[in-house]
Amino acid sequence: MLTERQQEIVETSIELIAEKGIQGLTIKNLSKAIGISEPGIYRHFESKTEILVTILNNFRDMAAMLSGLMQHSEDTAINNISFMFNKMVDIFMETPSLVAVIFSEEIFKNEEILNNKIVEILNLNEQTIENILKKGQQEGNVRDDVDEKNLALMVMGSLRLMVKRWDLNRHNFDLKKEGAKLLKAIQSLISN
């Protein structure tokens, strides 16, 4: 559980990344934005990497919670995919700065601990979607002429591209509205 100050550091870090890119997240910029000394930051986190790990852990925890909900869901695969898709859109709309962190995997590639966290999140989301689709195939409401791994990649890839495009375009279109259109297309592609 994070302290109030740690939570403030994490939230400000996300805002700095969104505003200045990952390179803009420095302890100096962070201390200036919060209004405490650099040693004050280090009393709460050992390094910038530890702050980023905390951000990614929070996102992983959200993904794990969604995965748990989906494992116990009695709903159809199509409805479960829709729920997860809409939940992700809602999360990114509520905290647009998260996009810059979650989709910065290229930058994290050289930092093994951060790269491993991103891979862990991707694998968890992919496995959750694959499980939903596999169950839907077994129940006959998801097409089975394409394996669940490829269907999951289509779902994840299309969501990622739409959200990334929204972020790069400085949120100049309605993500919820575009997400609903994309979800409808995905549903027609995966439905049996």
Side-chain angles (χ1 to χ4, degrees):
M1 190 75 165
L2 297 178
T3 66
E4 196 173 307
R5 180 62 87 181
Q6 285 174 317
Q7 189 62 42
E8 179 184 17
I9 291 169
V10 165
E11 289 170 7
T12 304
S13 296
I14 293 169
E15 291 167 13
L16 278 173
I17 292 167
E19 185 182 316
K20 300 180 179 197
I22 199 81
Q23 301 83 358
L25 177 61
T26 64
I27 298 300
K28 183 176 185 171
N29 288 344
L30 190 54
S31 68
K32 187 186 290 185
I34 294 175
I36 62 174
S37 68
E38 290 179 43
I41 300 286
Y42 287 114
R43 278 194 288 278
H44 299 282
F45 290 98
E46 288 180 20
S47 64
K48 179 172 94 170
T49 299
E50 187 181 6
I51 295 168
L52 290 168
V53 166
T54 301
I55 293 168
L56 293 173
N57 280 341
N58 287 344
F59 201 75
R60 184 210 51 221
D61 292 347
M62 282 190 279
M65 183 194 70
L66 273 175
S67 180
L69 284 172
M70 295 299 97
Q71 283 179 346
H72 298 97
S73 175
E74 301 280 327
D75 214 338
T76 67
I78 302 299
N79 287 343
N80 284 337
I81 292 292
S82 298
F83 175 81
M84 281 195 64
F85 190 97
N86 286 322
K87 195 66 173 162
M88 296 309 297
V89 166
D90 289 344
I91 288 168
F92 289 127
M93 284 180 62
E94 288 168 19
T95 315
S97 48
L98 266 181
V99 176
V101 177
I102 300 305
F103 297 146
S104 292
E105 63 272 359
E106 275 303 307
I107 296 166
F108 295 159
K109 202 165 45 174
N110 296 326
E111 186 89 37
E112 189 174 353
I113 190 167
L114 297 175
N115 186 64
N116 290 344
K117 288 289 174 192
I118 291 288
V119 168
E120 182 182 359
I121 293 165
L122 282 173
N123 288 343
L124 178 58
N125 285 330
E126 183 177 22
Q127 190 61 58
T128 301
I129 293 170
E130 284 177 16
N131 290 343
I132 292 168
L133 293 168
K134 184 75 172 167
K135 183 179 175 212
Q137 288 172 329
Q138 291 166 347
E139 293 171 352
N141 57 27
V142 170
R143 64 187 300 169
D144 60 4
D145 59 330
V146 179
D147 73 7
E148 73 277 3
K149 289 187 181 305
N150 286 316
L151 289 175
L153 282 175
M154 288 181 220
V155 172
M156 290 176 66
S158 58
L159 173 63
R160 184 194 196 295
L161 181 59
M162 180 191 65
V163 170
K164 191 66 177 169
R165 194 185 74 204
W166 172 73
D167 189 53
L168 289 171
N169 283 292
R170 303 189 190 286
H171 317 138
N172 72 349
F173 62 86
D174 185 337
L175 185 61
K176 190 80 164 171
K177 185 176 172 185
E178 291 301 310
K181 285 192 238 175
L182 180 58
L183 181 57
K184 187 173 182 180
I186 289 170
Q187 288 169 336
S188 65
L189 288 173
I190 66 174
S191 291
N192 196 10

